[in-house]
Amino acid sequence: MHRLLRKISEKAIELADFEFTPEQTENKWLGTKPASETEIKLTEKRLGIEFPTDF
C-alpha cells in the first residue's frame, strides 16, 4: 500500500495540478503530520462526538 501511495504522490507532484508545500515537493510525499491527541480531543469536544479508538 505504501508503494502505491508513494507513486500517487510522485505523479500528483509531477502533474502540479495543485499547490503543494515545499516540504511535500521535496519529499515527494503528500502526507501530512497526524493530529495530536490534544487536537483530536478538542475536535471531539467541538463536534460533540467521540471518534472510534482505531480511527
Side-chain angles (χ1 to χ4, degrees), residues 7-8 10 13 16 21 26-27 32-33 44 47 50 53:
K7 289 261 185 209
I8 290 169
E10 290 172 355
I13 290 167
T21 66
E26 182 180 322
N27 294 327
T32 58
K33 294 179 183 174
E44 287 176 330
L47 297 174
E50 267 189 48
T53 55

Side-chain angles (χ1 to χ4, degrees), residues 1 7-8 18 23 33-35 38-39 41 55:
M1 181 63 104
K7 289 261 185 209
I8 290 169
F18 300 96
E23 182 180 6
K33 294 179 183 174
T38 301
E39 291 169 318
K41 291 296 177 199
F55 191 61

